[in-house]
Amino acid sequence: AIPDHKAFIIKKIVAPHFDPTFHLHPEFQLSYVIQGEGTRFVGDSIKSFNASDMVLTGPNLPHVWRSDNKYFEKESQLITKVIVIYFHDHFMGETLLQKEEMESINRLFQRSVRGLEIRGNTKVLIGKMMHDLLELKGIESIIKLLQILDVLAKSNECNYVTHNHLISSNTESETNRLNKIFEYVMKNYKNHIGLDDVAEIV
């Protein structure tokens, strides 16, 4: 959750593997993988990822970046690195988004409900801006976040991740059930998985 005294959160996370929990949250999330590889699950999309993967997810869109199994091995020396920005559409006030000046960013937010994968020169530029944002404080940080959103809003290198517009009926309890299934499948994918086995879990 974003604290009340903050407009947004940016983190650089270094860990042996990415958080393997399939989850959702009400914040927008912009993720930039610096190091690591595995399988990305966003809504109804399943795709391999590696370093430089960049995705913007809208509110309550279920997702997980699941590191390859080698990252979970007991003797693994591997690490992952990612920069993540969490924010709400109203991070500068409830009414600003409705103003004419915010029209393109408003459209970006609407498109992000399906998730957006950022590619090409846009990804390179946004990656550098995210690194810069890690070092900024105060009003300069908010200006930099707005610049990031402006670049994304004007880019033609942001492609939909999910196949369909998902009308979000996702709830925390529903996602917890999906996560149990997800974990079971990831651990047992080399074996026969029956519907009865999965149904028993949930």
Side-chain angles (χ1 to χ4, degrees), residues 38-200:
T39 305
R40 185 219 304 150
F41 298 78
V42 178
D44 63 359
S45 169
I46 302 174
K47 184 176 179 179
S48 297
F49 76 86
N50 49 32
S52 83
D53 186 66
M54 184 181 291
V55 173
L56 174 65
T57 55
N60 299 317
L61 180 59
H63 57 272
V64 63
W65 276 250
R66 210 265 185 193
S67 300
D68 282 340
N69 287 337
K70 62 185 178 182
Y71 288 84
F72 295 92
E73 293 174 359
K74 191 173 183 179
E75 304 300 324
S76 173
Q77 300 293 313
L78 298 169
I79 62 169
T80 61
K81 298 179 184 179
V82 62
I83 300 177
V84 188
I85 304 175
Y86 301 98
F87 61 95
H88 293 289
D89 55 4
H90 56 272
F91 71 93
M92 288 196 64
E94 296 287 348
T95 60
L96 182 62
L97 194 63
Q98 308 308 318
K99 304 302 182 183
E100 180 180 316
E101 292 83 354
M102 295 290 286
E103 185 177 349
S104 62
I105 291 179
N106 192 19
R107 286 197 301 270
L108 173 71
F109 290 164
Q110 292 169 359
R111 294 174 62 210
S112 74
V113 299
R114 288 179 56 184
L116 294 172
E117 180 179 5
I118 295 93
R119 299 182 178 179
N121 292 329
T122 302
K123 179 171 65 175
V124 175
L125 176 58
I126 295 297
K128 182 180 183 305
M129 296 172 78
M130 291 176 76
H131 275 102
D132 292 343
L133 181 53
L134 284 167
E135 307 300 323
L136 297 177
K137 303 292 183 184
I139 192 66
E140 289 185 340
S141 68
I142 293 178
I143 292 171
K144 180 63 72 174
L145 177 56
L146 283 171
Q147 289 174 337
I148 288 171
L149 295 175
D150 185 53
V151 171
L152 292 175
K154 294 175 179 176
S155 174
N156 59 4
E157 297 178 301
C158 301
N159 302 318
Y160 287 121
V161 173
T162 65
H163 300 93
N164 298 298
H165 181 98
L166 302 175
I167 299 174
S168 181
S169 60
N170 300 304
T171 63
E172 186 174 352
S173 61
E174 185 178 89
T175 304
N176 288 339
R177 293 174 70 220
L178 285 170
N179 194 55
K180 290 178 182 178
I181 297 170
F182 170 79
E183 284 296 318
Y184 181 82
V185 171
M186 294 304 293
K187 289 178 181 177
N188 297 278
Y189 69 93
K190 292 184 178 179
N191 306 318
H192 172 74
I193 299 176
L195 181 59
D196 291 341
D197 298 329
V198 176
E200 189 175 335

